[in-house]
């Protein structure tokens, strides 16, 4: 289990400064998720069939015709998709650097339910490994990097730790990661954060109902059982763990939390986190002094969960992540002219 700290560990101070009109964890989190406007972004979809009989839906943006064009893989958060504002914003920022952006939808998140009686979870890294290997085979001269948000960041960090030098990525960035899944599940049951839990669990319960209609034997749950799943811990104990072969919720949290694995990462990696993230407590933040030299923790006082909204005026917000992340990746990926059509 992750060691809990009484105060935030030393880390690189973030240059991020929240908008004066949008201070606080919930303001940052909710504005970024609900109030953002973004113009349409041209995307192309591909469906990749998997050896186990399932499939992955990927969305491409940028010059996908150039086989050697640097490619940035994106992993969304819980119940996210290509429609998520933070994904669209980052894809646009990646394309502006002349790179290709590729969103990997977790199973069942691309708009169509996946075929098998499984879903996705915080520690399922096999699909990411498959996508990386497929890109290496199809486009061996295209440098690869990856960016993961929240649950997707946990998946990315776990994969980096598992694979060591053989991960196939030049660099990685993980944002607002629940490094200790048990700690995150406890935190989101308290105060205003219960609103996020309510919203996400409503979507997850709907997913379970759909799954049981297609694969009735996937879980021994009745409609009353599904309606009773009112906390993440209950959901993970009754759905995530049994669906994916874990002994129970504690087994799942212990085996899939990325925090204890960070010392094994051998890829240049940037961790971006806010101390006031409403999805977890500061106790879950990694100890920066225990990280490998090539893993950098950038910690800000404000920013919320995948928020980090700046800007002088409410009608002209700016999004720190969409400048900071490409700037970091530019040290490892050559910038190229962007397509005029993007």
């Amino acid at each position: 289990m992750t060691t809990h700290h009484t105060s935030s560990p030393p880390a690189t101070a973030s240059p991020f400064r929240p908008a004066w009109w949008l201070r606080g964890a919930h303001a940052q989190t909710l504005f970024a998720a609900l109030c953002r406007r973004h113009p349409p972004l041209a995307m192309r979809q591909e469906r990749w069939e998997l050896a186990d009989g399932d499939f992955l839906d990927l969305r491409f943006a940028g010059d996908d015709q150039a086989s050697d064009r640097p490619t940035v893989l994106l992993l969304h958060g819980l119940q996210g998709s290509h429609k998520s504002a933070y994904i669209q914003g980052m894809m646009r920022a990646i394309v502006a650097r002349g790179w290709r952006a590729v969103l990997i939808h977790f199973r069942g998140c691309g708009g169509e339910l996946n075929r098998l009686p499984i879903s996705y979870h915080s520690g399922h890294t096999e699909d990411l490994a498959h996508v990386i290997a497929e890109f290496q085979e199809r486009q061996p001269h295209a440098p690869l990097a990856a960016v993961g948000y929240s649950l997707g960041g946990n998946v990315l960090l776990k994969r980096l730790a598992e694979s060591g030098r053989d991960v196939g990525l030049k660099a990685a960035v993980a944002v607002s990661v629940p490094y200790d899944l048990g700690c995150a599940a406890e935190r989101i049951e308290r105060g205003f954060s219960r609103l996020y839990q309510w919203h996400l669990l409503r979507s997850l319960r709907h997913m379970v109902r759909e799954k049981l209609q297609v694969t009735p034997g996937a879980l021994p749950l009745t409609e009353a059982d599904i309606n009773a799943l009112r906390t993440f811990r209950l959901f993970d104990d009754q759905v995530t763990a049994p669906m994916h072969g874990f002994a129970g919720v504690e087994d799942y949290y212990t085996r899939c939390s990325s925090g204890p694995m960070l010392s094994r990462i051998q890829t240049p990696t940037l961790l971006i986190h806010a101390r006031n993230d409403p999805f977890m407590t500061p106790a879950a933040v990694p100890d920066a002094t225990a990280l490998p030299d090539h893993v950098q923790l950038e910690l800000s006082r404000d920013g919320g969960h995948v928020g980090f909204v700046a800007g002088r005026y409410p009608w002209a917000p700016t999004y720190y992540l969409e400048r900071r992340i490409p700037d970091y990746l530019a040290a490892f990926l050559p910038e190229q002219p962007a397509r005029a059509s993007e």
Side-chain angles (χ1 to χ4, degrees):
M1 295 295 292
T2 302
T3 301
H4 286 194
H5 307 276
T6 56
S7 60
S8 298
T12 301
S14 172
F16 169 71
R17 296 295 178 268
W20 62 267
W21 45 270
L22 199 68
R23 294 183 181 275
H26 302 301
Q28 285 277 319
T29 302
L30 292 171
F31 185 93
L34 302 177
C35 302
R36 179 166 190 180
R37 299 176 181 176
H38 45 77
L41 175 65
M43 296 185 193
R44 178 176 60 86
Q45 179 172 314
E46 284 190 14
R47 174 162 292 182
W48 289 11
E49 295 291 333
L50 301 173
D52 63 7
D54 221 331
F55 64 89
L56 293 176
D57 282 335
L58 285 71
R59 293 280 178 139
F60 290 70
D63 187 357
D64 50 77
Q65 304 303 316
S67 62
D68 61 346
R69 187 168 291 270
T71 299
V72 182
L73 307 176
L74 299 180
L75 291 85
H76 59 79
L78 185 66
Q79 296 299 90
S81 73
H82 65 281
K83 297 179 181 179
S84 301
Y86 61 92
I87 291 294
Q88 293 216 5
M90 185 54 63
M91 292 186 87
R92 189 173 297 281
I94 290 167
V95 170
R97 299 287 180 124
W99 304 328
R100 179 193 297 112
V102 180
L103 171 66
I104 307 170
H105 282 110
F106 292 118
R107 300 193 192 202
C109 291
E112 183 178 330
L113 200 64
N114 64 304
R115 301 176 188 133
L116 298 184
I118 60 172
S119 183
Y120 68 99
H121 61 80
S122 296
H124 186 84
T125 61
E126 291 84 352
D127 290 346
L128 173 59
H130 172 74
V131 171
I132 293 172
E134 190 71 16
F135 269 104
Q136 289 178 311
E137 182 177 341
R138 294 184 183 193
Q139 300 167 342
H141 302 296
L144 286 175
V147 180
Y149 296 86
S150 194
L151 178 148
N154 194 84
V155 171
L156 174 58
L157 295 177
K158 186 171 180 285
R159 180 59 193 164
L160 292 172
E162 291 169 348
S163 52
R165 295 183 184 277
D166 298 325
V167 69
L169 300 173
K170 297 293 185 182
V173 182
V175 180
S176 301
V177 173
Y179 299 100
D180 183 328
L181 298 174
C183 178
E186 293 172 9
R187 172 64 182 90
I188 207 164
E189 291 182 22
R190 302 202 302 268
F192 189 84
S193 293
R194 288 178 293 180
L195 175 66
Y196 309 120
Q197 178 173 251
W198 173 83
H199 172 74
L200 289 168
L201 282 172
R202 184 177 64 170
S203 176
L204 288 168
R205 288 194 299 269
H206 177 71
M207 179 271 291
V208 171
R209 293 186 186 99
E210 286 191 320
K211 177 68 68 176
L212 292 181
Q213 287 180 357
V214 177
T215 55
L219 292 167
L221 296 177
T222 65
E223 179 65 20
D225 294 331
I226 296 172
N227 291 335
L229 300 175
R230 298 290 177 177
T231 69
F232 275 121
R233 182 172 290 276
L234 273 174
F235 184 90
D236 288 333
D237 191 55
Q238 299 298 312
V239 177
T240 308
M243 182 179 281
H244 299 100
F246 296 98
V249 65
E250 292 303 331
D251 183 44
Y252 166 52
Y253 288 164
T254 300
R255 290 167 58 186
C256 294
S257 294
S258 63
M261 308 177 188
L262 298 179
S263 62
R264 293 155 48 189
I265 294 176
Q266 300 183 49
T267 302
T269 301
L270 174 64
L271 312 177
I272 300 178
H273 202 84
R275 273 194 277 258
N276 69 348
D277 190 318
F279 281 52
M280 62 207 82
T281 69
V285 179
D287 183 350
T289 63
L291 296 175
D293 291 341
H294 46 269
V295 177
Q296 176 187 349
L297 172 62
E298 181 180 293
L299 197 58
S300 63
R301 294 184 61 182
D302 204 340
H305 188 76
V306 194
F308 301 93
V309 185
R312 183 173 296 181
Y313 306 111
W315 56 88
T318 61
Y319 296 88
Y320 171 75
L321 297 175
E322 289 155 32
R323 182 182 74 253
R324 178 67 178 105
I325 291 175
D327 281 352
Y328 176 80
L329 294 179
F332 308 96
L333 303 178
E335 293 190 53
Q336 299 185 11
R339 295 173 65 189
S341 61
E342 299 292 348

